[in-house]
Amino acid sequence: LPCPQDLREHRGVVPAECPAIMPRCLWGARPYRGTPAPLQPPLGSVFLHHTLEPSRPCQTFGTCARAMRDMQRFHQDTRGWDDIGYSFVVGSDGYLYEGRGWHWVGAHTKGYNTQGFGIGIVGDFTATLPDPDTLALVRDELLPCAVRFGHIRPGFILRGHRQLGHTDCPGNALFQEIQSWPGFQ
């Protein structure tokens, strides 16, 4: 779907959202294949991921939008999924990117997709952490906002992807970091 004119002019910074979320129309998403399954918020969990590919954090809107299109293409064409798997993806450009968003079941944490949102951070965080502003965007803005707007429950549980599947995701460095975050179990 094309972006409404006002969104294109303001690069998706929608004041009603905290923090601002780049809608699919701005990063150039392909359409969802099939019929998305609705989520039943508020959900009780948030699952944190690293994207692994691209392995380097994206620093500009252009590189982050390209990363989103590449991930969506990989998830749809190679994995055969209906859409990009993540609910949201976090770039190191200061923006959140809408994947499946708040309303549709994702394909991020096998066996748990209806129970929580999957948040991917662009990069490989096996040995290094995302920059402090990117971490703060998730920990201090996205998660409290999601509670405030009724997307996740006040007592939500935060987990790294590796706790629920056979994977190293979200990388050793990031997994170590999130153990001190509110809601981690």
Side-chain angles (χ1 to χ4, degrees), residues 118 123 133:
D133 289 344

Side-chain angles (χ1 to χ4, degrees), residues 48-107:
L48 206 62
H49 301 257
H50 66 169
T51 62
L52 203 58
E53 285 295 324
S55 59
R56 297 180 53 108
C58 58
Q59 305 281 341
T60 66
F61 171 76
T63 57
C64 290
R66 185 167 42 257
M68 291 297 293
R69 291 189 301 272
D70 290 347
M71 281 184 270
Q72 185 186 38
R73 191 168 27 257
F74 175 70
H75 289 171
Q76 286 183 320
D77 297 349
T78 303
R79 296 219 164 137
W81 298 347
D82 293 335
D83 200 355
I84 190 168
Y86 304 112
S87 306
F88 297 96
V89 177
V90 185
S92 292
D93 62 342
Y95 289 113
L96 291 164
Y97 290 80
E98 180 184 27
R100 298 208 190 182
W102 297 120
H103 305 293
W104 309 112
V105 175

Side-chain angles (χ1 to χ4, degrees), residues 12-22 94-96 102 136-138 140-146 148-149:
V13 181
V14 181
E17 293 281 3
C18 61
I21 296 172
M22 286 289 179
Y95 289 113
L96 291 164
W102 297 120
L137 181 63
V138 178
D140 304 335
E141 294 185 57
L142 175 62
L143 297 178
C145 172
R148 209 160 47 248
F149 278 83

Side-chain angles (χ1 to χ4, degrees), residues 2-181:
C3 274
Q5 187 63 32
D6 59 332
L7 279 184
R8 283 196 304 274
E9 290 169 4
H10 294 96
R11 297 247 357 272
V13 181
V14 181
E17 293 281 3
C18 61
I21 296 172
M22 286 289 179
R24 295 169 59 91
C25 62
L26 275 182
W27 60 261
R30 293 171 164 182
Y32 189 95
R33 292 182 180 160
T35 304
L39 284 171
Q40 303 296 319
L43 302 183
S45 296
V46 174
F47 309 116
L48 206 62
H49 301 257
H50 66 169
T51 62
L52 203 58
E53 285 295 324
S55 59
R56 297 180 53 108
C58 58
Q59 305 281 341
T60 66
F61 171 76
T63 57
C64 290
R66 185 167 42 257
M68 291 297 293
R69 291 189 301 272
D70 290 347
M71 281 184 270
Q72 185 186 38
R73 191 168 27 257
F74 175 70
H75 289 171
Q76 286 183 320
D77 297 349
T78 303
R79 296 219 164 137
W81 298 347
D82 293 335
D83 200 355
I84 190 168
Y86 304 112
S87 306
F88 297 96
V89 177
V90 185
S92 292
D93 62 342
Y95 289 113
L96 291 164
Y97 290 80
E98 180 184 27
R100 298 208 190 182
W102 297 120
H103 305 293
W104 309 112
V105 175
H108 45 77
T109 313
K110 189 172 185 173
Y112 298 89
N113 292 314
T114 60
Q115 298 171 33
F117 296 101
I119 312 298
I121 301 178
V122 176
D124 176 352
F125 301 111
T126 303
T128 60
L129 281 174
D131 66 76
D133 289 344
T134 301
L135 294 171
L137 181 63
V138 178
R139 182 189 61 232
D140 304 335
E141 294 185 57
L142 175 62
L143 297 178
C145 172
V147 171
R148 209 160 47 248
F149 278 83
H151 300 300
I152 57 176
R153 292 189 197 108
F156 73 90
I157 295 170
L158 173 69
R159 291 195 175 102
H161 184 198
R162 65 173 57 184
Q163 294 175 271
L164 303 162
H166 300 289
T167 177
D168 290 332
C169 182
N172 292 338
L174 184 55
F175 185 67
Q176 184 76 30
E177 164 68 25
I178 67 170
Q179 291 179 48
S180 66
W181 289 17

